[in-house]
Amino acid sequence: MSAAANNPAKDGQRANLFGRIRDALGADANRADYEDGRIRAVADRLGFHPRGPQPARSVGAGEHDEAHRHRLFVAKAFEAAATVELLASRAELPQAIARYLRQNNLPPRLRLAPGAGLDALDWASTPMLEISSGASDGSDPASLTTPFAAIAETGTLMLVSGETSPVTLAFLPETHFVLMRKDQIAGTLEAAFDRLRAAHGNTMPRAINFVTGPSRSADIEQTLQMGAHGPKRLHILLVDE
């Protein structure tokens, strides 16, 4: 072992220096108060969530203005190159997905999020559509998931990981279908997190992903390339239930 790696004199000098800094700050005498203050600060931050400025266009006439949030979300989703289809009920979903795949000349295969109630829909009405469920291994051409919430301000989907929402389904297939209700649309990011805290408390999901439109990149010669890091197509099926 070298002298530099084990030098009692230098170690003593270092300890003496840090000791003088602690004395100047009163760190030893106030350590308990300091630690208590940090704990209180964290608890206060978890319990209270002060709001920054909220754009008027995000909230409309207020938190109960669901129609405004719906219109804004659809407009922003279209701006982000997603597509949105309105359905009267979940019962219309199988035919809507089969129609979309057929019109876009895509393989009639669909991977469902497991345990989300999607397999209970009438897939028998679309016999040409091959259905499976579970996490994706990357070979599935299309997936169907449900989000936790959506954000009207930016047309963004809020996806949380879990048994009924494998992250792979949102990022590996080239076509991502999302089934959601109008009442899942929050006005702002802060409002979406309010819903998440109300649902999960302080036990947050392992992963929270925000998706705004299909994947894209213009890194190469400033040419927009869709599907660079994820799905090429994001089709949102919005149910008025």
Side-chain angles (χ1 to χ4, degrees):
M1 180 178 292
S2 67
N6 185 14
N7 190 325
K10 287 189 175 181
D11 289 344
Q13 292 171 0
R14 185 181 299 109
N16 184 46
L17 172 62
F18 289 144
R20 293 202 305 272
I21 293 173
R22 285 197 300 272
D23 290 342
L25 296 175
D28 289 334
N30 300 321
R31 186 166 187 81
D33 290 340
Y34 173 71
E35 292 297 337
D36 288 344
R38 293 181 65 187
I39 292 172
R40 286 195 301 272
V42 172
D44 289 345
R45 186 66 185 88
L46 290 174
F48 303 97
H49 311 286
R51 288 286 187 266
Q54 302 290 295
R57 68 177 177 84
S58 301
V59 296
E63 61 177 293
H64 301 295
D65 193 350
E66 185 175 305
H68 172 80
R69 292 197 302 271
H70 163 234
R71 291 192 299 270
L72 181 60
F73 173 78
V74 171
K76 290 298 179 180
F78 276 122
E79 286 182 14
T83 50
V84 181
E85 183 174 352
L86 303 181
L87 304 179
S89 71
R90 289 166 61 97
E92 297 180 2
L93 179 71
Q95 290 294 337
I97 289 181
R99 182 171 57 251
Y100 179 95
L101 294 174
R102 185 170 59 252
Q103 290 174 347
N104 289 277
N105 198 28
L106 297 172
R109 290 167 47 208
L110 181 68
R111 189 81 165 173
L112 308 179
L118 300 175
D119 53 354
L121 297 172
D122 185 18
W123 297 106
S125 65
T126 57
M128 300 300 293
L129 187 56
E130 179 184 333
I131 301 297
S132 60
S133 66
S136 176
D137 61 4
S139 63
D140 304 293
S143 64
L144 172 62
T145 68
T146 58
F148 175 80
I151 301 166
E153 183 178 5
T154 53
T156 298
L157 299 172
M158 185 181 199
L159 311 177
V160 300
S161 62
E163 293 183 359
T164 61
S165 52
V167 173
T168 54
L169 290 179
F171 295 106
L172 296 184
E174 288 195 344
T175 302
H176 183 198
F177 293 101
V178 175
L179 173 66
M180 60 179 290
R181 304 183 313 273
K182 286 183 178 181
D183 63 8
Q184 289 179 279
I185 302 174
T188 62
L189 177 65
E190 293 87 349
F193 266 107
D194 284 344
R195 297 186 183 200
L196 189 67
R197 293 187 188 98
H200 292 272
N202 291 331
T203 306
M204 287 289 153
R206 184 172 182 177
I208 304 171
N209 293 292
F210 296 93
V211 173
T212 307
S215 172
R216 74 199 73 190
S217 175
D219 292 341
I220 302 174
E221 298 182 353
Q222 299 301 300
T223 300
L224 184 63
Q225 179 66 42
M226 303 300 287
H229 311 293
K232 291 182 178 180
R233 291 165 289 271
L234 174 62
H235 190 58
I236 301 168
L237 298 136
L238 191 57
V239 180
D240 190 11
E241 288 183 335

